[in-house]
Each structure stands twice: as C-alpha cells, then as structure tokens.
Amino acid sequence: QVQLVESGGGLVQPGGSLRLSCVASGSIFKITNMGWYRQAPGKQRELVASIISGGSTNYADSVKGRFTISRDNAKNTVYLQMNSLKPEDTAVYYCNVFMVASYGSTPFGYWGQGTQVTVSS
C-alpha cells in the first residue's frame, strides 16, 4: 500500500512564502515523476509544476520565476517552494506521484489529499 501525506499549506500574506511537502510511504519500488496541481474555486485542476526522476522540471507560466519544485529521493519527498505569493495563487494544492509499487508492475499515479493555500491580507 502507498500513501501520500501533504503538509505546509496555510494562510500567508501577498508577497510571502510557503513550502509544501509531500511524502510518499509504503510499498514503493521506484518513483518516477512527481508533480503539484492546484484547483481554485470554480476552476479546473491545473498542473503547477512537475519534476522527473532525472531532475528536469516544468512550470505553469503563471508561476515561473516564483515557484520551485524539488525532490529528495532518499526521503521519497517532493517539495514546492512558493515565493512572492499572489492572491490568485489561492487554491487547494495536490501532489501527484507516479511510481512502481513492485517489481514488474506498471507505473501508476497516486494523489495526495490536498492542502489549502490561502494568500490574503
């Protein structure tokens, strides 16, 4: 069994920073891709940032230069450092991890439970 536990969400003022963490645990053979999505009220879920096993990253245009995704393979953890936060960043953030749970199995995507990020004065 695999579990993803998110943390780091909360309330922050515009211009502030937050760091989200997502820790994968359980029966994990190999983690491939990791990413962060967000969903604001009345909007569809969108990809914020992703990182592959080799370290290459991809960001949504709206967060480029402000957000940084990183991973700690030894801890099976993916982070999202969010700087210069804006009110429009307010959303529920979800981590997504693709992994091989056992030898010979097909890579499968797992979702975290989501963490609320609110940017407001």
Coordinates of all heavy atoms in Angstrom, one line a residue, residues 18-90:
L18 N 5.6 30.1 1.2 CA 5.3 28.8 1.8 C 6.0 27.7 1.1 O 6.4 27.8 -0.1 CB 3.8 28.5 1.7 CG 2.8 29.3 2.6 CD1 1.4 29.0 2.1 CD2 3.0 29.0 4.0
R19 N 6.2 26.6 1.8 CA 6.8 25.4 1.2 C 6.0 24.2 1.5 O 5.7 23.9 2.7 CB 8.2 25.2 1.8 CG 8.9 24.1 1.0 CD 10.4 23.8 1.4 NE 10.5 23.0 2.6 CZ 11.5 22.3 3.0 NH1 12.6 22.2 2.2 NH2 11.5 21.6 4.1
L20 N 5.5 23.6 0.5 CA 4.7 22.4 0.6 C 5.5 21.2 0.5 O 6.5 21.2 -0.3 CB 3.6 22.4 -0.5 CG 2.7 23.6 -0.7 CD1 1.7 23.4 -1.8 CD2 2.0 23.9 0.6
S21 N 5.1 20.2 1.2 CA 5.9 18.9 1.2 C 4.9 17.8 0.9 O 3.7 17.8 1.4 CB 6.6 18.6 2.5 OG 7.5 19.6 2.8
C22 N 5.3 16.8 0.3 CA 4.5 15.6 0.0 C 5.4 14.4 0.2 O 6.4 14.2 -0.6 CB 3.9 15.6 -1.4 SG 2.9 14.2 -1.9
V23 N 5.1 13.5 1.2 CA 5.9 12.4 1.5 C 5.2 11.1 1.1 O 4.0 10.9 1.5 CB 6.2 12.3 3.0 CG1 7.1 11.1 3.3 CG2 6.9 13.6 3.4
A24 N 5.8 10.3 0.3 CA 5.3 9.0 -0.1 C 5.8 7.9 0.8 O 7.0 7.9 1.1 CB 5.6 8.7 -1.6
S25 N 5.0 7.0 1.2 CA 5.4 5.9 2.1 C 4.6 4.7 1.7 O 3.6 4.7 1.0 CB 5.1 6.3 3.5 OG 3.8 6.4 3.8
G26 N 5.1 3.5 2.2 CA 4.5 2.3 1.9 C 5.4 1.4 1.0 O 6.6 1.5 1.0
S27 N 4.8 0.6 0.2 CA 5.5 -0.4 -0.6 C 5.8 0.4 -1.9 O 5.0 0.5 -2.8 CB 4.6 -1.6 -0.9 OG 5.3 -2.5 -1.7
I28 N 7.0 0.9 -2.0 CA 7.5 1.6 -3.2 C 8.8 1.0 -3.7 O 9.8 0.9 -3.0 CB 7.8 3.1 -2.8 CG1 6.5 3.7 -2.2 CG2 8.2 3.9 -4.0 CD1 6.8 5.1 -1.6
F29 N 8.7 0.6 -4.9 CA 9.9 0.1 -5.6 C 10.7 1.2 -6.3 O 11.9 1.3 -6.1 CB 9.5 -1.0 -6.6 CG 10.7 -1.6 -7.3 CD1 11.5 -2.5 -6.7 CD2 10.9 -1.2 -8.7 CE1 12.6 -3.0 -7.3 CE2 12.0 -1.8 -9.3 CZ 12.9 -2.7 -8.7
K30 N 10.0 2.1 -7.0 CA 10.7 3.2 -7.7 C 9.7 4.3 -8.0 O 8.6 4.0 -8.4 CB 11.3 2.7 -9.0 CG 12.1 3.7 -9.7 CD 12.6 3.1 -11.0 CE 13.4 4.2 -11.8 NZ 14.0 3.6 -13.1
I31 N 10.1 5.5 -7.7 CA 9.3 6.7 -8.0 C 9.9 7.3 -9.3 O 11.1 7.4 -9.5 CB 9.4 7.7 -6.9 CG1 8.7 7.2 -5.7 CG2 8.8 9.0 -7.4 CD1 8.7 8.2 -4.5
T32 N 9.0 7.6 -10.2 CA 9.4 8.2 -11.5 C 9.1 9.7 -11.5 O 10.0 10.5 -11.1 CB 8.7 7.5 -12.7 OG1 7.3 7.6 -12.5 CG2 9.1 6.1 -12.8
N33 N 7.9 10.1 -11.8 CA 7.6 11.5 -11.9 C 6.8 12.0 -10.7 O 6.1 11.3 -10.1 CB 6.8 11.8 -13.2 CG 7.5 11.4 -14.4 OD1 8.7 11.3 -14.5 ND2 6.7 11.1 -15.5
M34 N 7.1 13.3 -10.4 CA 6.3 13.9 -9.3 C 5.8 15.3 -9.8 O 6.4 15.9 -10.6 CB 7.2 14.1 -8.1 CG 7.7 12.9 -7.4 SD 8.8 13.3 -6.0 CE 8.9 11.7 -5.2
G35 N 4.7 15.7 -9.2 CA 4.2 17.0 -9.6 C 3.2 17.6 -8.6 O 2.8 16.9 -7.6
W36 N 2.9 18.8 -8.8 CA 2.0 19.6 -8.0 C 0.9 20.1 -8.9 O 1.2 20.7 -9.9 CB 2.6 20.7 -7.2 CG 3.5 20.2 -6.1 CD1 4.8 20.0 -6.1 CD2 3.1 19.9 -4.8 NE1 5.3 19.6 -4.9 CE2 4.2 19.5 -4.0 CE3 1.8 19.9 -4.1 CZ2 4.1 19.2 -2.7 CZ3 1.7 19.6 -2.8 CH2 2.9 19.2 -2.1
Y37 N -0.3 20.0 -8.5 CA -1.5 20.5 -9.1 C -2.2 21.4 -8.1 O -2.0 21.3 -6.9 CB -2.5 19.4 -9.6 CG -1.9 18.6 -10.7 CD1 -0.9 17.6 -10.5 CD2 -2.5 18.7 -12.0 CE1 -0.5 16.8 -11.6 CE2 -2.0 17.9 -13.1 CZ -1.0 17.0 -12.8 OH -0.5 16.2 -13.9
R38 N -3.1 22.3 -8.7 CA -3.9 23.1 -7.8 C -5.3 23.3 -8.4 O -5.4 23.3 -9.7 CB -3.3 24.5 -7.5 CG -3.2 25.4 -8.7 CD -2.4 26.7 -8.3 NE -2.3 27.6 -9.4 CZ -1.6 28.7 -9.4 NH1 -0.9 29.0 -8.3 NH2 -1.5 29.5 -10.4
Q39 N -6.2 23.5 -7.6 CA -7.6 23.8 -8.0 C -8.2 24.9 -7.2 O -8.4 24.8 -6.0 CB -8.5 22.5 -7.9 CG -9.8 22.7 -8.5 CD -10.5 21.3 -8.7 OE1 -10.2 20.4 -8.0 NE2 -11.5 21.3 -9.6
A40 N -8.5 26.0 -7.9 CA -9.2 27.1 -7.3 C -10.7 27.0 -7.4 O -11.2 26.3 -8.3 CB -8.7 28.4 -7.9
P41 N -11.4 27.7 -6.5 CA -12.9 27.6 -6.6 C -13.4 28.0 -8.0 O -13.0 29.1 -8.5 CB -13.4 28.6 -5.5 CG -12.3 28.6 -4.5 CD -11.0 28.5 -5.4
G42 N -14.3 27.2 -8.6 CA -14.8 27.5 -9.9 C -13.9 27.2 -11.1 O -14.3 27.5 -12.2
K43 N -12.7 26.7 -10.8 CA -11.8 26.4 -11.9 C -11.4 24.9 -11.9 O -11.6 24.2 -10.9 CB -10.6 27.3 -11.8 CG -10.8 28.8 -11.9 CD -9.5 29.5 -11.9 CE -9.7 31.0 -12.2 NZ -8.4 31.8 -12.3
Q44 N -10.9 24.5 -13.1 CA -10.4 23.1 -13.2 C -9.1 23.0 -12.6 O -8.3 24.0 -12.4 CB -10.4 22.7 -14.7 CG -11.7 22.7 -15.4 CD -11.6 22.1 -16.8 OE1 -10.6 22.2 -17.4 NE2 -12.7 21.6 -17.3
R45 N -8.7 21.8 -12.2 CA -7.4 21.5 -11.7 C -6.4 21.7 -12.8 O -6.5 21.3 -13.9 CB -7.4 20.0 -11.1 CG -6.1 19.7 -10.4 CD -6.2 18.3 -9.8 NE -7.3 18.2 -8.8 CZ -7.5 17.1 -8.1 NH1 -6.7 16.1 -8.1 NH2 -8.6 17.1 -7.2
E46 N -5.3 22.3 -12.4 CA -4.2 22.6 -13.3 C -2.9 22.2 -12.8 O -2.6 22.2 -11.6 CB -4.2 24.1 -13.6 CG -3.8 25.0 -12.5 CD -3.6 26.5 -12.8 OE1 -3.5 26.8 -14.0 OE2 -3.6 27.3 -11.9
L47 N -2.0 21.8 -13.7 CA -0.6 21.5 -13.4 C 0.1 22.7 -13.0 O 0.2 23.7 -13.8 CB 0.0 20.7 -14.5 CG 1.5 20.3 -14.3 CD1 1.6 19.3 -13.2 CD2 2.1 19.8 -15.6
V48 N 0.8 22.7 -11.9 CA 1.6 23.8 -11.4 C 3.1 23.6 -11.8 O 3.7 24.5 -12.3 CB 1.4 24.1 -9.9 CG1 2.4 25.2 -9.4 CG2 0.0 24.4 -9.6
A49 N 3.6 22.4 -11.4 CA 5.0 22.1 -11.6 C 5.1 20.6 -11.6 O 4.4 19.9 -11.0 CB 5.9 22.8 -10.6
S50 N 6.1 20.1 -12.3 CA 6.5 18.7 -12.3 C 8.0 18.5 -12.4 O 8.7 19.4 -12.8 CB 5.8 18.0 -13.5 OG 6.3 18.5 -14.8
I51 N 8.4 17.4 -11.9 CA 9.8 17.0 -12.0 C 9.9 15.5 -12.2 O 9.3 14.7 -11.6 CB 10.5 17.5 -10.6 CG1 12.0 17.2 -10.7 CG2 9.8 16.8 -9.4 CD1 12.8 17.8 -9.5
I52 N 10.8 15.2 -13.1 CA 11.0 13.8 -13.5 C 12.2 13.3 -12.7 O 12.9 14.0 -12.0 CB 11.3 13.6 -15.0 CG1 12.6 14.3 -15.4 CG2 10.1 14.1 -15.8 CD1 12.9 14.0 -16.9
S53 N 12.4 12.0 -12.8 CA 13.5 11.3 -12.0 C 14.9 11.9 -12.3 O 15.7 12.0 -11.4 CB 13.5 9.8 -12.2 OG 13.7 9.5 -13.5
G54 N 15.1 12.3 -13.5 CA 16.4 12.9 -13.9 C 16.6 14.3 -13.4 O 17.7 14.9 -13.6
G55 N 15.5 15.0 -12.9 CA 15.7 16.3 -12.4 C 15.1 17.4 -13.2 O 15.0 18.6 -12.8
S56 N 14.7 17.1 -14.5 CA 14.1 18.1 -15.3 C 12.8 18.6 -14.8 O 12.0 17.8 -14.3 CB 13.9 17.6 -16.7 OG 15.2 17.3 -17.3
T57 N 12.5 19.9 -14.9 CA 11.3 20.5 -14.3 C 10.5 21.2 -15.4 O 11.0 21.6 -16.4 CB 11.7 21.5 -13.2 OG1 12.5 22.5 -13.7 CG2 12.4 20.8 -12.0
N58 N 9.3 21.4 -15.0 CA 8.3 22.1 -15.9 C 7.4 22.9 -15.0 O 6.9 22.4 -14.0 CB 7.6 21.2 -16.8 CG 6.7 21.9 -17.8 OD1 7.2 22.6 -18.6 ND2 5.4 21.7 -17.7
Y59 N 7.1 24.2 -15.4 CA 6.2 25.0 -14.6 C 5.1 25.7 -15.5 O 5.3 25.9 -16.7 CB 7.1 26.2 -14.0 CG 8.1 25.7 -13.0 CD1 9.4 25.5 -13.5 CD2 7.8 25.5 -11.7 CE1 10.4 25.0 -12.6 CE2 8.8 25.1 -10.8 CZ 10.1 24.9 -11.3 OH 11.1 24.5 -10.4
A60 N 4.0 25.9 -14.9 CA 3.0 26.7 -15.5 C 3.5 28.1 -15.7 O 4.2 28.6 -14.8 CB 1.7 26.7 -14.7
D61 N 3.1 28.8 -16.7 CA 3.5 30.1 -17.0 C 3.2 31.1 -15.8 O 4.0 32.0 -15.5 CB 2.9 30.7 -18.2 CG 3.4 30.0 -19.5 OD1 4.5 29.4 -19.4 OD2 2.8 30.1 -20.5
S62 N 2.1 30.8 -15.1 CA 1.7 31.7 -14.1 C 2.6 31.7 -12.8 O 2.5 32.6 -12.0 CB 0.2 31.4 -13.7 OG 0.1 30.1 -13.2
V63 N 3.4 30.7 -12.7 CA 4.2 30.5 -11.5 C 5.7 30.6 -11.8 O 6.5 30.5 -10.9 CB 3.9 29.2 -10.7 CG1 2.4 29.2 -10.4 CG2 4.3 28.0 -11.5
K64 N 6.1 30.6 -13.1 CA 7.5 30.7 -13.4 C 8.2 31.8 -12.8 O 7.7 33.0 -12.8 CB 7.7 30.8 -15.0 CG 7.4 29.5 -15.7 CD 7.6 29.6 -17.2 CE 7.3 28.3 -17.9 NZ 7.5 28.4 -19.4
G65 N 9.4 31.5 -12.2 CA 10.2 32.6 -11.5 C 9.8 32.7 -10.1 O 10.5 33.4 -9.4
R66 N 8.7 32.2 -9.7 CA 8.2 32.3 -8.3 C 8.2 31.0 -7.5 O 8.5 31.0 -6.3 CB 6.8 32.9 -8.2 CG 6.8 34.3 -8.9 CD 5.4 35.0 -8.6 NE 4.3 34.2 -9.2 CZ 3.3 33.7 -8.6 NH1 3.3 33.8 -7.2 NH2 2.4 33.0 -9.2
F67 N 7.9 29.9 -8.2 CA 7.8 28.6 -7.6 C 9.0 27.7 -8.0 O 9.5 27.9 -9.1 CB 6.5 27.9 -8.0 CG 5.2 28.5 -7.4 CD1 5.2 29.7 -6.8 CD2 4.0 27.8 -7.5 CE1 4.1 30.3 -6.2 CE2 2.9 28.4 -7.0 CZ 2.9 29.6 -6.4
T68 N 9.4 26.9 -7.1 CA 10.4 25.9 -7.4 C 10.0 24.5 -6.9 O 9.7 24.4 -5.7 CB 11.8 26.3 -6.8 OG1 12.1 27.6 -7.2 CG2 12.9 25.3 -7.1
I69 N 10.1 23.6 -7.8 CA 9.8 22.2 -7.4 C 11.1 21.4 -7.2 O 12.1 21.7 -8.0 CB 8.9 21.5 -8.4 CG1 8.5 20.1 -7.9 CG2 9.6 21.4 -9.8 CD1 7.4 19.4 -8.7
S70 N 11.2 20.6 -6.2 CA 12.4 19.8 -5.9 C 12.0 18.5 -5.3 O 10.8 18.3 -4.9 CB 13.4 20.6 -5.0 OG 12.8 20.9 -3.8
R71 N 13.0 17.6 -5.2 CA 12.7 16.3 -4.7 C 13.8 15.8 -3.9 O 15.0 16.1 -4.2 CB 12.3 15.3 -5.8 CG 13.4 15.1 -6.8 CD 12.8 14.3 -8.0 NE 12.5 12.9 -7.7 CZ 11.9 12.1 -8.6 NH1 11.4 12.6 -9.7 NH2 11.6 10.9 -8.2
D72 N 13.6 15.0 -2.9 CA 14.5 14.3 -2.1 C 14.3 12.8 -2.3 O 13.4 12.2 -1.6 CB 14.5 14.7 -0.6 CG 15.6 14.1 0.2 OD1 16.1 13.1 -0.1 OD2 15.9 14.7 1.3
N73 N 15.0 12.2 -3.1 CA 14.8 10.8 -3.4 C 15.0 9.8 -2.2 O 14.2 8.8 -2.1 CB 15.7 10.3 -4.6 CG 15.3 11.0 -5.9 OD1 14.2 11.3 -6.1 ND2 16.3 11.1 -6.8
A74 N 15.9 10.2 -1.4 CA 16.2 9.4 -0.2 C 15.0 9.4 0.8 O 14.8 8.4 1.5 CB 17.4 9.8 0.5
K75 N 14.2 10.4 0.8 CA 13.1 10.6 1.7 C 11.7 10.4 0.9 O 10.7 10.6 1.6 CB 13.1 11.9 2.4 CG 14.3 12.1 3.3 CD 14.2 13.4 4.0 CE 15.4 13.6 4.9 NZ 15.4 14.9 5.6
N76 N 11.8 10.1 -0.3 CA 10.5 9.9 -1.1 C 9.6 11.1 -1.0 O 8.4 11.0 -0.8 CB 9.8 8.6 -0.8 CG 10.6 7.4 -1.1 OD1 11.3 7.3 -2.1 ND2 10.4 6.3 -0.3
T77 N 10.2 12.3 -1.1 CA 9.5 13.5 -0.9 C 9.7 14.5 -2.0 O 10.7 14.6 -2.6 CB 10.0 14.2 0.4 OG1 9.9 13.3 1.5 CG2 9.3 15.5 0.7
V78 N 8.6 15.2 -2.3 CA 8.6 16.3 -3.3 C 8.2 17.6 -2.6 O 7.3 17.6 -1.8 CB 7.7 16.0 -4.5 CG1 6.2 15.8 -4.1 CG2 7.8 17.1 -5.6
Y79 N 8.8 18.7 -2.9 CA 8.6 19.9 -2.3 C 8.1 20.9 -3.4 O 8.4 20.8 -4.6 CB 9.8 20.5 -1.7 CG 10.5 19.6 -0.6 CD1 11.5 18.7 -1.0 CD2 10.0 19.6 0.7 CE1 12.1 17.9 0.0 CE2 10.6 18.8 1.6 CZ 11.6 18.0 1.3 OH 12.2 17.1 2.2
L80 N 7.4 21.9 -2.9 CA 7.1 23.1 -3.8 C 7.3 24.3 -3.0 O 6.6 24.7 -2.0 CB 5.6 23.0 -4.2 CG 5.2 24.2 -5.2 CD1 5.9 24.0 -6.5 CD2 3.7 24.2 -5.4
Q81 N 8.4 25.0 -3.3 CA 8.7 26.3 -2.7 C 8.0 27.4 -3.4 O 8.2 27.6 -4.6 CB 10.2 26.5 -2.7 CG 10.7 27.9 -2.1 CD 10.4 27.9 -0.6 OE1 10.7 27.0 0.1 NE2 9.8 29.0 -0.1
M82 N 7.2 28.1 -2.7 CA 6.4 29.2 -3.3 C 6.8 30.5 -2.7 O 6.6 30.8 -1.5 CB 4.9 28.9 -3.1 CG 4.4 27.5 -3.6 SD 2.6 27.3 -3.4 CE 2.5 27.2 -1.6
N83 N 7.3 31.4 -3.6 CA 7.7 32.7 -3.2 C 6.9 33.8 -3.9 O 6.2 33.5 -4.9 CB 9.2 32.9 -3.5 CG 10.1 32.0 -2.8 OD1 9.8 31.6 -1.6 ND2 11.2 31.6 -3.4
S84 N 6.9 35.0 -3.4 CA 6.2 36.1 -4.0 C 4.7 35.7 -4.3 O 4.2 35.9 -5.4 CB 6.9 36.5 -5.3 OG 8.2 36.9 -5.0
L85 N 4.1 35.1 -3.3 CA 2.7 34.6 -3.5 C 1.7 35.7 -3.8 O 1.8 36.9 -3.2 CB 2.3 33.8 -2.2 CG 2.9 32.4 -2.2 CD1 2.8 31.9 -0.7 CD2 2.2 31.5 -3.2
K86 N 0.8 35.4 -4.6 CA -0.3 36.4 -5.0 C -1.6 35.8 -4.6 O -1.8 34.6 -4.5 CB -0.2 36.6 -6.5 CG 1.1 37.0 -7.1 CD 1.1 37.1 -8.6 CE 2.4 37.5 -9.2 NZ 2.4 37.6 -10.7
P87 N -2.6 36.7 -4.5 CA -4.0 36.2 -4.1 C -4.5 35.2 -5.1 O -5.2 34.2 -4.7 CB -4.8 37.5 -4.2 CG -3.8 38.5 -3.8 CD -2.5 38.1 -4.4
E88 N -4.1 35.3 -6.4 CA -4.6 34.3 -7.4 C -3.9 32.9 -7.3 O -4.3 32.0 -7.9 CB -4.3 34.9 -8.8 CG -2.9 35.4 -9.1 CD -2.8 36.9 -8.9 OE1 -3.4 37.4 -8.0 OE2 -2.2 37.5 -9.8
D89 N -2.9 32.8 -6.4 CA -2.4 31.5 -6.1 C -3.2 30.7 -5.1 O -2.9 29.5 -4.8 CB -1.0 31.6 -5.5 CG 0.0 32.2 -6.5 OD1 0.0 31.8 -7.7 OD2 0.9 33.1 -6.1
T90 N -4.2 31.3 -4.5 CA -5.1 30.7 -3.6 C -5.8 29.5 -4.2 O -6.5 29.6 -5.3 CB -6.2 31.7 -3.0 OG1 -5.5 32.7 -2.3 CG2 -7.1 31.0 -2.1

